[in-house]
Amino acid sequence: MKRPGFQNLIILALLTLFLAGAGFVVLNGAQFYTRMIAENDASLNRQTIGLYFNQRLKTHDGAGQIQLANHAGIPVLVLESDGFYTLIYEDRGHLVEQSSESPDLDRLAAEPVAELSGLSFTLINRVLTVRYLDAQGETILLRYTLASEEIST
């Protein structure tokens, strides 16, 4: 004697278990993917900042071409070449670059490069240290030994 009601109940229970398992896999996959994308973005941002400073400092590591300044409490790295100035500083959570014929800070002329906060520069014995907080709040230190003898602060 067959019991169709009991078989239908077992089929319904197995189908429910399958759907719950599939939902669990999809949710875990979505969380993993979101976390992976965030970590990838943070890594890309760190690499961008590192490569940016490498390129800028190598290009301007000549006599008197690198200066540290402070404009209204904002630490600024000033790079000078052929009468043109590149000012690098933090503005509203971004590393920004401003290129002009004047070493004066003009926030409207700045272009964002990458996300960061708490940017500071220190120069001790021709070693320039760039310190900042990344998007996850982790402190990052970049140290560059400069070949130039003439660096003004």
Side-chain angles (χ1 to χ4, degrees):
M1 176 176 204
K2 292 185 180 180
R3 295 199 262 176
F6 182 69
Q7 286 179 345
N8 287 341
L9 186 61
I10 297 248
I11 291 172
L12 184 61
L14 289 175
L15 185 59
T16 303
L17 186 63
F18 172 75
L19 289 176
F24 179 74
V25 168
V26 169
L27 287 176
N28 273 347
Q31 288 175 350
F32 173 77
Y33 180 76
T34 302
R35 193 171 49 249
M36 183 180 70
I37 293 298
E39 289 173 4
N40 187 41
D41 288 346
S43 176
L44 181 62
N45 197 45
R46 273 191 222 120
Q47 289 176 355
T48 300
I49 292 169
L51 291 172
Y52 174 80
F53 278 110
N54 283 341
Q55 190 272 333
R56 290 294 184 226
L57 292 173
K58 283 181 182 178
T59 302
H60 292 86
D61 191 8
Q65 292 183 324
I66 298 175
Q67 304 168 14
L68 295 182
N70 198 328
H71 291 277
I74 300 171
V76 180
L77 180 65
V78 181
L79 309 173
E80 191 237 333
S81 180
D82 298 326
F84 287 93
Y85 295 90
T86 301
L87 281 69
I88 301 169
Y89 56 96
E90 176 202 347
D91 187 31
R92 292 177 233 136
H94 287 86
L95 173 67
V96 295
E97 173 184 272
Q98 170 192 325
S99 298
S100 67
E101 294 178 351
S102 166
D104 297 328
L105 196 89
D106 179 9
R107 288 181 161 180
L108 297 176
E111 293 291 326
V113 175
E115 284 184 50
L116 59 69
S117 62
L119 180 66
S120 67
F121 305 101
T122 54
L123 180 65
I124 300 172
N125 297 331
R126 292 184 13 224
V127 175
L128 176 67
T129 302
V130 179
R131 177 187 308 255
Y132 68 91
L133 296 173
D134 67 4
Q136 282 71 38
E138 184 179 334
T139 299
I140 307 294
L141 291 174
L142 304 173
R143 288 191 175 93
Y144 300 94
T145 301
L146 303 175
S148 177
E149 294 290 332
E150 300 177 31
I151 303 167
S152 54
T153 57

